[in-house]
């Protein structure tokens, strides 16, 4: 328990808040003040304390995401007030991401179960899925898609919604992550189109080829791992760290991707701020760095043809 948390949530303060704060607006204002006072780190689905507080409160009230101001005057029951302040206390004292408290996160407009076995979904790749990778695929409809490093399965499932006729392999090295992915596959009724596969990279995919490979692999370098905010330390390190420069797995993905793409196939890969190092390491490679209307960077697309052209640059790289 942090010193800040102890100061913010004395028994007296909790008792007074539960007794005096009654409306949705009262509790949102209170929570925003406490989140600001505690200087929590935001980056797991929200970028401001109001939305952070609203995500917790709608969970307690069994409501959809809060977009209707008509709810502001609605009164909370005493049990709801106590439940909310308990979650808020955990968020601040333990620095737990909201998604781990509510066990729900939204990605590409879809709800997903999450817990500390998987990263909290937050990739800008959601925007590409919403656009059906129109620029990357040139309007072609993929029939076989690979989501490499699937985690919660959010990318695989969102792709299955975007391409109704496609089959999607959801691959991860973590058995724990695949258990979560399986829960999400079942909750979305996609057992017959999305297939969780335990594999270290492409190792279990011998002979398999895909029209589209989408991957959000670990890409945090050693320096950034050492400086991560506390909220990120609740996430599995296996899903974040990737060697000294953050590109250990990405190099392997590049080296082996061409063999698993159909003719005309495309790899879409997120590397975050490790994009600078990747560009320095491979200046000859024509990475297509993608731009996003709703924020995000460090995602590239590359064709099978370009991967084959540059195969000699990747083949001797140790992963």
């Amino acid at each position: 328990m942090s010193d800040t948390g102890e100061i913010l949530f004395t028994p007296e303060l909790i008792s007074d808040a539960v007794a005096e704060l009654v409306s949705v607006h009262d509790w949102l204002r209170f929570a925003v003040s406490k989140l600001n006072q505690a200087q929590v780190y935001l980056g797991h689905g929200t970028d401001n304390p109001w939305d952070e507080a609203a995500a917790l409160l709608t969970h307690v009230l069994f409501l959809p995401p809060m977009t209707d101001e008509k709810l502001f005057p609605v009164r909370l029951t005493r049990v709801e007030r106590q439940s909310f302040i308990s979650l808020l206390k955990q968020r601040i004292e333990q620095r737990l991401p909201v998604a781990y408290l509510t066990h729900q996160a939204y990605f590409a407009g879809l709800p997903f179960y999450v817990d500390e076995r998987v990263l909290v979904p937050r990739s800008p790749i959601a925007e590409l899925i919403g656009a059906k990778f129109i620029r990357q695929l040139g309007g072609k409809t993929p029939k076989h898609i690979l989501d490499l490093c699937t985690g919660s399965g959010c990318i695989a499932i969102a792709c299955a919604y975007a391409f109704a006729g496609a089959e999607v392999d959801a691959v991860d090295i973590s058995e724990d992550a695949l258990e979560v992915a399986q829960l999400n596959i079942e909750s979305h009724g996609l057992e017959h189109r999305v297939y969780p596969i335990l594999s270290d990279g492409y190792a279990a995919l011998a002979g398999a080829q895909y029209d589209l490979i989408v991957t959000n692999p670990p890409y945090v370098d050693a320096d950034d791992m050492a400086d991560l905010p506390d909220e990120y330390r609740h996430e599995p390190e296996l899903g974040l760290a990737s060697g000294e420069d953050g590109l250990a797995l990405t190099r392997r993905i590049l080296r082996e991707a061409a063999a698993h793409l159909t003719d005309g196939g495309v790899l879409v890969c997120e590397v975050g701020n490790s994009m600078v190092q990747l560009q320095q390491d491979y200046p000859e490679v024509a990475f297509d760095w993608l731009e996003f209307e709703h924020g995000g960077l460090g995602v590239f697309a590359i064709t099978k043809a370009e991967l084959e052209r540059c195969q000699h640059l990747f083949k001797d790289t140790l992963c």
Side-chain angles (χ1 to χ4, degrees), residues 219-238:
Y219 57 72
V220 182
D221 64 39
D223 287 343
D224 284 347
M225 283 297 298
D227 294 332
L228 284 177
D230 290 343
E231 280 82 352
Y232 288 93
R233 300 192 182 281
H234 292 280
E235 295 188 294
E237 184 175 343
L238 185 64

Side-chain angles (χ1 to χ4, degrees), residues 3 13 26 29 80-81 86 143 160 169 177 181 269 289 309 316:
D3 292 340
L13 181 142
D26 288 343
R29 197 284 308 158
E80 289 169 341
R81 299 175 215 172
S86 175
K143 295 299 183 184
D169 288 343
C269 178
W289 294 101
R309 185 185 74 82
D316 295 325

Side-chain angles (χ1 to χ4, degrees), residues 141-147 156-170 185-186 188-197 210:
T141 301
K143 295 299 183 184
H144 203 191
I145 300 170
L146 170 63
D147 173 17
I157 290 166
C159 283
Y161 275 99
F163 301 104
E167 293 187 349
V168 187
D169 288 343
I185 291 167
E186 291 173 359
H188 286 276
L190 290 168
E191 299 95 321
H192 301 296
R193 289 208 295 123
V194 180
Y195 306 102
I197 299 172
Y210 304 89

